Amino acid sequence: MDLTIRRDYSCLRSHSVSFHKSNIKSQLQLFSMDKEAECCSTHLIEGDGTFNAVGLDNFIKQVKLGECGLSYAVVAIMGPQSSGKSTLLNHLFYTNFKEMDAYRGRSQTTKGIWIARCPGIEPCTIVMDLEGTDGRERGEDDTAFEKQSALFALTVSDIVLINMWCHDIGREQAANKPLLKTVFQVMLRLFSPRKTTLMFVIRDKTRTPLENLEPVLREDIQKIWDSVPKPEAHKHTPLSEFFNVQVVALSSYEEKEEQFKEQVANLRQKFFQSIVPGGLAGDRRGVVPASGFSFSAQQIWKVIRENKDLDLPAHKVMVATVRCEEIANEKYSSFVTNEDWLELEEVVQSLLVPGFGKKISSLLHKCLSSYDEEATYFEDGVKSAKRKQLEDKLLQLVQPAYQLMLEHIRSVTLENFKKALNDALNGGLGFAVAARDCTTKFMRLFDEQCQDAVIKQANWDSGKIRDKFSRDLDSHIAEVRTSKLSELTALYESKLKEALYGPVEALLEGASDDTWPAIRKLLRQETEKAVSEFSFALSGFEMDEQEKENMISKLKSYARGLIEGKTREEAAKVLYRMKERFTSIFNHDNDSMPRVWTGKEDIRAITKTARSFSLKLLSVLAAIRLDEEDNDTIGDTLVLTLVDPKKGTSKSTTDPLASSTWGEVPPTKTLITPVQCKSLWSQFQRETEYTITQAIAAQEANKRNNNWLPPPWAIAAMVILGFNEFMTLLRNPLWLLFIFVSYLLFKALWVQLDISGEFRNGALPGILSLSTKFLPTVTNLLRKLAEEGQTPVNTDAQRNRPNLPQSSRGNNSGLSSTASSEVTMENETEYTSHSHEN
């Protein structure tokens, strides 16, 4: 019965295993249908090291890797030849890498490096199958490609699977220890390391628990890491900073296939979302965007291929060349990113940096000393050559900053020189002495600052910038000298203008026989005074006598030109000045009081006198007479020709003014020609005739106003014809009273109604306005008379006192009316004369 139960149990177990196998086979069949299309397996690197760039580009296009951005991961596997790497990848990632046929014997299956996409895993995961190590096909001595491919895998990949046999743990060669040691060392030297996951896959796990195998393996890895020489920056950096080490164990594929596949399926789950923080590829620092993966891989492989014999003693010179260049590049890059250098470079862009030379020299010394320390054991000739190249590159890098520093020294020192020179001049120091002292001082200061900026490692000459600085000083001194001389000249020119302009204008306006002698005396006095002060001011410039005389001569010419210009200006408006002078003399008496034309004045004599003064003004402005020998007869000629022509007719029959020049006056000094004088005089007479006519009219009006009595015949007729009426008034005095009262009433109504004002706008409007105002005005007037009649008698005296001013106002009104009529008459006469003239 027990046998039957066992047989049934065995049968049931066999059926269960069969069913599990059938499920796995069905899953594999589902993936195998489109595996070829999705994997896109591509031979990336040939066995001889040729990089398949075209194939990689096609692969990226097929799997659309370029669209992934940074959301992708790269997995690589390495390990001994025929250790089942391709088989593991095909089961783990559903790829279709070529597997070894065990029935044909153990031999090399994968040559070079293959690449494929992992179907069904997100994000996009790329897997690389590397050629196995320790293969007999390459031989014992040709391990360069194995090291290069391993280094390439570590550099490109985020996750590296290291396939190893369980029974080889603890063995030196089988566990890939020499390979890992070389890879770690070169990895630290050539590339900026990032945290890569190293997953050690222990194949054909035995009964020994993984908990016992893993510590041994980790201890071996740590020993390898500790033995690798590291740069100074990473000397104490633990392995965990660069690698995330994980260990997994798988059962034998041949003996326990179902268990193997189940373990692989569990391991596959770790690769989903591997790039999230904490995932297998969670460190994304330095990840190349997917669109640049092809170019990045090519360049990395190229660099690795150039160092294929890195650790072979037979190629000592080549190794020294590559390594020294690597060290030099590393030091150069370190110098470029050095915070002190960057800060110094930034500051020197805009400011002068004290101790610039010492700071740069110190940074260069540290960089070169660090190179010497790391390149000590390499071949001397190569080491020195690379050091010289590094030094040249560093000097080429710092030279722009050095040039900027010299430029800052030049500009800052030049500005300080300008300020010091200006302060010295403002302090009263002579220009030549101030310029000489400041030049000496700041040239010495410039040399000291240039010496402070010298870089010990460089042999640069600052002579050119010194020459430029010297030229800048000379240029500024010449510019300031010109400016100061211009200011000095302008100052004394302004003094001369202030001293001459107003007095000359006054002398020309009050033209007389002494006008030009007075102008010459004024010019001589003011010029001598200005030249004396100007000469003393020029002594501080230490200029030669010829230049000094030229400047003094220009100042004298300016003074003379100032008077000539003012005279020409006055000559241009001579007609206006003549009329103004005529009007002033004609309308004012000897006491400068306005004339009142009473009829007693001799208008003819006054007119002649005023015209003579105006003619004197014309003769004074007709020519410039600044020289002592400038004696002419222009005044006499004008008087005899224009004012007293009868006196001149006996001497000559020709017109002296019928010429365009004055005989004794050169054309350069002539301002008004004889012909122009004659024309101006005629115009002057026409334009002043109106003033004379007005004066005559005023005299006639005054005479008429003063003779208010009627003619004698009218008086006689009035006496004879009015005798009877006069006698009637004498016999009846009431008529006189009635006439007087009527006059008063009429006068009061005239004032109250403002009759003259109402009729200004016309007869009809005036009548209408008066008709509306007449009755109210009469009523108001009668009411006032009634009120005054009822006032007590004792107030009559007080009331009568204001009547006198009222009467005076009435009289004043009469006088005002008379004056108004006189003014109106004068205005009418003026208007009539003016209209007649026009």
Side-chain angles (χ1 to χ4, degrees):
M1 184 174 181
D2 292 338
L3 182 60
T4 303
I5 293 174
R6 288 179 182 177
R7 187 167 55 248
D8 293 338
Y9 176 77
S10 299
C11 182
L12 181 61
R13 184 179 178 184
S14 63
H15 283 295
S16 176
V17 172
S18 303
F19 179 75
H20 184 66
K21 287 183 178 180
S22 63
N23 286 337
I24 294 177
K25 287 181 179 179
S26 62
Q27 291 179 3
L28 292 176
Q29 288 176 355
L30 291 174
F31 284 105
S32 63
M33 294 177 62
D34 56 350
K35 188 186 296 184
E36 295 289 338
E38 292 190 29
C39 293
C40 304
S41 299
T42 302
H43 203 173
L44 180 61
I45 299 176
E46 302 288 343
D48 58 358
T50 303
F51 194 93
N52 185 10
V54 176
L56 179 58
D57 291 337
N58 293 333
F59 170 80
I60 291 175
K61 292 178 181 178
Q62 289 178 3
V63 302
K64 299 181 180 180
L65 181 62
E67 301 175 2
C68 296
L70 298 178
S71 298
Y72 73 100
V74 181
V75 182
I77 189 169
M78 64 183 190
Q81 180 176 305
S82 302
S83 62
K85 299 187 299 298
S86 300
T87 302
L88 175 60
L89 293 179
N90 290 340
H91 285 82
L92 182 60
F93 298 111
Y94 302 153
T95 54
N96 59 349
F97 293 122
K98 184 179 180 181
E99 300 178 8
M100 182 190 71
D101 188 356
Y103 294 103
R104 296 184 178 180
R106 307 184 69 84
S107 62
Q108 187 180 51
T109 305
T110 303
K111 295 182 179 180
I113 300 176
W114 285 75
I115 189 171
R117 185 182 186 277
C118 303
I121 295 181
E122 293 296 335
C124 179
T125 302
I126 306 300
V127 62
M128 292 191 302
D129 189 9
L130 275 65
E131 178 181 319
T133 59
D134 297 336
R136 63 181 178 83
E137 285 79 6
R138 288 194 178 271
E140 190 176 283
D141 299 327
D142 189 9
T143 60
F145 183 81
E146 296 176 359
K147 297 176 182 180
Q148 291 170 359
S149 61
L151 178 57
F152 179 78
L154 279 172
T155 306
V156 174
S157 304
D158 302 297
I159 307 166
V160 177
L161 304 179
I162 300 178
N163 200 42
M164 58 187 304
W165 299 111
C166 179
H167 56 76
D168 283 340
I169 293 177
R171 297 181 181 179
E172 184 70 20
Q173 294 297 329
N176 299 311
K177 290 181 180 179
L179 178 60
L180 283 176
K181 185 175 182 179
T182 303
V183 168
F184 287 164
Q185 181 177 1
V186 181
M187 174 78 172
L188 291 171
R189 291 291 183 180
L190 286 182
F191 303 98
S192 298
R194 63 176 179 180
K195 200 165 185 178
T196 304
T197 298
L198 290 181
M199 182 175 287
F200 289 85
V201 183
I202 302 175
R203 302 292 297 275
D204 295 353
K205 178 180 173 298
T206 61
R207 293 181 179 180
T208 304
L210 179 61
E211 291 78 7
N212 296 335
L213 293 174
E214 184 174 352
V216 177
L217 183 57
R218 287 184 178 273
E219 184 180 353
D220 292 341
I221 295 172
Q222 186 63 44
K223 288 181 180 180
I224 295 173
W225 175 257
D226 293 338
S227 64
V228 171
K230 302 177 186 65
E232 187 66 27
H234 302 295
K235 180 168 289 187
H236 302 289
T237 304
L239 177 66
S240 58
E241 289 292 326
F242 292 94
F243 300 103
N244 177 23
V245 179
Q246 295 190 14
V247 180
V248 296
L250 299 177
S251 301
S252 173
Y253 175 69
E254 294 181 353
E255 298 178 2
K256 301 177 181 180
E257 181 178 355
E258 299 302 330
Q259 190 176 358
F260 171 82
K261 292 179 179 180
E262 183 179 353
Q263 293 171 349
V264 168
N266 294 331
L267 179 60
R268 176 182 172 86
Q269 298 302 317
K270 294 184 178 182
F271 291 89
F272 284 89
Q273 301 301 326
S274 59
I275 65 172
V276 298
L280 294 179
D283 189 355
R284 310 305 293 165
R285 293 176 298 173
V287 175
V288 178
S291 58
F293 178 80
S294 176
F295 177 78
S296 176
Q298 293 178 53
Q299 294 302 313
I300 291 173
W301 180 248
K302 179 181 178 181
V303 173
I304 293 173
R305 289 290 289 176
E306 289 175 356
N307 295 276
K308 61 182 180 180
D309 296 327
L310 185 62
D311 58 343
L312 297 179
H315 299 278
K316 182 179 179 181
V317 175
M318 185 190 70
V319 171
T321 301
V322 174
R323 287 298 300 128
C324 288
E325 185 172 357
E326 290 174 359
I327 296 171
N329 291 337
E330 179 185 343
K331 298 309 171 185
Y332 179 80
S333 299
S334 176
F335 184 89
V336 169
T337 57
N338 185 280
E339 292 184 0
D340 294 336
W341 158 246
L342 292 176
E343 181 181 358
L344 196 61
E345 184 183 29
E346 181 180 359
V347 173
V348 82
Q349 298 295 324
S350 56
L351 298 175
L352 190 150
V353 181
F356 175 84
K358 293 181 180 178
K359 294 177 181 179
I360 294 293
S361 299
S362 176
L363 292 175
L364 292 175
H365 176 72
K366 290 180 181 179
C367 182
L368 294 174
S369 299
S370 179
Y371 169 86
D372 294 337
E373 181 180 351
E374 293 192 26
T376 301
Y377 301 105
F378 292 102
E379 202 271 332
D380 291 338
V382 176
K383 179 181 66 176
S384 300
K386 295 300 179 182
R387 188 187 192 279
K388 185 68 171 76
Q389 293 178 7
L390 173 61
E391 186 176 3
D392 292 341
K393 285 180 67 177
L394 292 173
L395 292 177
Q396 186 177 4
L397 176 67
V398 302
Q399 188 174 19
Y402 174 75
Q403 294 296 333
L404 275 175
M405 184 62 186
L406 292 183
E407 188 62 29
H408 286 319
I409 293 174
R410 184 191 68 82
S411 60
V412 171
T413 309
L414 180 60
E415 290 300 321
N416 293 335
F417 170 82
K418 293 178 180 179
K419 185 177 182 301
L421 179 60
N422 186 58
D423 293 342
L425 294 176
N426 293 336
L429 196 63
F431 180 83
V433 176
R436 188 164 50 248
D437 293 347
C438 289
T439 300
T440 303
K441 175 183 176 182
F442 282 92
M443 284 300 297
R444 182 173 63 254
L445 179 61
F446 177 82
D447 292 337
E448 292 174 357
Q449 290 180 334
C450 286
Q451 186 63 33
D452 182 63
V454 169
I455 299 174
K456 295 180 180 180
Q457 291 80 1
N459 189 23
W460 293 327
D461 184 16
S462 61
K464 291 183 179 180
I465 195 72
R466 189 182 192 278
D467 294 339
K468 184 179 179 181
F469 177 70
S470 179
R471 291 194 300 269
D472 291 340
L473 295 186
D474 295 340
S475 175
H476 180 70
I477 291 173
E479 181 181 348
V480 173
R481 185 178 187 273
T482 303
S483 175
K484 291 297 181 182
L485 289 176
S486 299
E487 291 177 3
L488 197 62
T489 304
L491 174 63
Y492 284 95
E493 286 179 353
S494 64
K495 288 184 177 181
L496 281 174
K497 185 175 182 179
E498 183 179 357
L500 295 176
Y501 206 80
V504 168
E505 183 178 8
L507 288 172
L508 291 176
E509 287 180 359
S512 65
D513 293 335
D514 297 331
T515 296
W516 281 108
I519 291 176
R520 288 194 292 268
K521 182 180 178 181
L522 177 66
L523 174 63
R524 183 172 58 255
Q525 291 176 349
E526 296 298 333
T527 302
E528 289 176 356
K529 178 182 177 182
V531 166
S532 175
E533 295 177 0
F534 188 60
S535 300
F536 178 76
L538 291 178
S539 61
F541 289 86
E542 298 182 2
M543 60 177 62
D544 57 84
E545 290 299 324
Q546 183 63 38
E547 185 180 4
K548 184 176 181 180
E549 288 299 326
N550 291 338
M551 296 191 68
I552 293 175
S553 176
K554 288 181 180 179
L555 186 63
K556 291 180 178 179
S557 299
Y558 174 80
R560 189 182 181 93
L562 187 67
I563 295 178
E564 291 180 356
K566 184 59 182 176
T567 307
R568 293 181 188 277
E569 180 184 338
E570 293 296 323
K573 50 186 178 181
V574 64
L575 181 60
Y576 170 77
R577 294 294 189 190
M578 290 170 63
K579 291 191 296 181
E580 187 181 51
R581 191 168 195 186
F582 175 85
T583 304
S584 176
I585 296 174
F586 187 80
N587 291 331
H588 295 80
D589 57 16
N590 294 333
D591 296 329
S592 299
M593 296 296 293
R595 293 185 189 273
V596 179
W597 302 105
T598 62
K600 298 178 181 180
E601 296 82 4
D602 187 356
I603 292 180
R604 185 180 297 275
I606 294 173
T607 301
K608 186 174 181 179
T609 302
R611 285 181 174 176
S612 298
F613 278 99
S614 298
L615 188 63
K616 175 58 69 176
L617 178 62
L618 180 62
S619 66
V620 168
L621 294 176
I624 298 173
R625 305 173 181 88
L626 288 177
D627 298 322
E628 295 292 341
E629 61 274 9
D630 289 339
N631 295 319
D632 55 68
T633 59
I634 295 176
D636 298 336
T637 302
L638 291 176
V639 170
L640 292 175
T641 305
L642 301 176
V643 178
D644 295 324
K646 294 181 180 180
K647 294 182 180 180
T649 54
S650 60
K651 296 181 181 180
S652 176
T653 57
T654 60
D655 186 1
L657 300 182
S659 174
S660 59
T661 59
W662 303 102
E664 63 273 24
V665 180
T668 55
K669 296 183 178 181
T670 301
L671 301 180
I672 306 174
T673 63
V675 175
Q676 291 173 339
C677 286
K678 187 174 183 179
S679 175
L680 286 170
W681 184 254
S682 299
Q683 186 177 354
F684 166 75
Q685 284 183 320
R686 289 193 302 271
E687 294 184 5
T688 56
E689 185 177 354
Y690 176 74
T691 304
I692 300 171
T693 304
Q694 287 290 93
I696 295 173
Q699 275 191 342
E700 294 296 332
N702 197 4
K703 289 179 181 179
R704 289 194 299 269
N705 291 335
N706 291 334
N707 190 14
W708 56 273
L709 293 176
W713 60 268
I715 296 174
M718 289 173 62
V719 170
I720 295 171
L721 296 177
F723 180 76
N724 294 331
E725 288 77 5
F726 180 71
M727 293 303 295
T728 303
L729 291 175
L730 290 177
R731 293 190 188 99
N732 191 1
L734 293 176
W735 281 103
L736 291 175
L737 180 61
F738 175 76
I739 292 173
F740 180 71
V741 171
S742 298
Y743 171 74
L744 291 177
L745 289 174
F746 179 76
K747 185 66 176 178
L749 288 174
W750 182 277
V751 174
Q752 291 292 329
L753 294 174
D754 190 17
I755 295 175
S756 59
E758 295 293 343
F759 278 95
R760 282 196 198 107
N761 298 325
L764 183 59
I767 294 171
L768 294 175
S769 178
L770 290 175
S771 64
T772 58
K773 294 167 59 178
F774 180 75
L775 289 177
T777 303
V778 172
T779 304
N780 188 26
L781 184 61
L782 293 176
R783 186 175 64 253
K784 287 184 178 180
L785 291 174
E787 290 175 356
E788 290 179 359
Q790 295 175 0
T791 305
V793 178
N794 57 2
T795 62
D796 287 346
Q798 297 178 358
R799 187 175 63 251
N800 289 333
R801 278 196 292 269
N803 286 339
L804 292 176
Q806 184 176 1
S807 176
S808 299
R809 283 196 297 270
N811 294 334
N812 289 337
S813 299
L815 291 175
S816 300
S817 301
T818 305
S820 299
S821 63
E822 290 177 0
V823 172
T824 303
M825 182 178 63
E826 290 178 1
N827 291 336
E828 289 175 356
T829 305
E830 180 180 355
Y831 178 77
T832 305
S833 301
H834 184 65
S835 301
H836 177 70
E837 181 181 357
N838 292 336

